Amino acid sequence: MNDMLKRGFLLGLGAASYGKERVQHYLDELVSKGKITPAEAEQWKEELIQKGKQKEENWSGQAKNKMQDTFKDMGLATDKDIERIEERLQAIEQKLDHLSREDNNHS
């Protein structure tokens, strides 16, 4: 599973890098042909980068949710599950300690 995540991450980085280079090349061509100004090219580039970041954030959120669902399906405990168990265990330990002290006082 860890290897699969690593490959997916590296694939995403490669695609982002390749995409950025392609966009820059395309914009440079438009500027050199006089179809857009350098200022327009910069503006388009910034807009595309912003849209890419938004897509990445959406994808990251979806991937995180999918991973959580997968872990849940596998029966793995979440941090919240462990925290709840620790709280319950602590409450039980306190009750046992209290009962033990009562027994010692009655003896």
Side-chain angles (χ1 to χ4, degrees):
M1 181 84 164
N2 193 11
D3 189 47
M4 185 174 78
L5 291 174
K6 183 178 175 183
R7 286 182 187 177
F9 178 74
L10 292 175
L11 178 63
L13 284 179
S17 174
Y18 176 73
K20 217 173 184 181
E21 290 173 13
R22 297 269 304 163
V23 166
Q24 186 63 53
H25 178 72
Y26 177 70
L27 291 174
D28 289 345
E29 279 187 27
L30 290 176
V31 170
S32 69
K33 292 178 181 177
K35 296 192 178 201
I36 61 173
T37 67
E40 289 173 320
E42 188 62 30
Q43 182 182 357
W44 283 16
K45 182 175 136 186
E46 291 302 317
E47 288 176 13
L48 289 171
I49 288 172
Q50 188 61 32
K51 285 181 183 180
K53 285 180 182 179
Q54 289 172 348
K55 287 286 186 187
E56 181 182 355
E57 288 172 6
N58 289 341
W59 184 84
S60 293
Q62 291 171 353
K64 181 180 178 182
N65 291 338
K66 185 70 172 169
M67 296 265 311
Q68 288 174 342
D69 290 344
T70 300
F71 291 158
K72 185 176 180 181
D73 291 345
M74 293 171 64
L76 299 176
T78 65
D79 288 342
K80 287 182 181 181
D81 293 334
I82 294 170
E83 187 176 314
R84 279 193 301 267
I85 292 168
E86 288 174 342
E87 288 171 359
R88 290 181 67 191
L89 180 59
Q90 185 177 16
I92 291 169
E93 288 173 339
Q94 288 174 351
K95 286 179 184 178
L96 286 174
D97 187 45
H98 179 71
L99 289 173
S100 177
R101 279 189 258 135
E102 283 182 359
D103 281 349
N104 286 339
N105 288 339
H106 292 295
S107 298

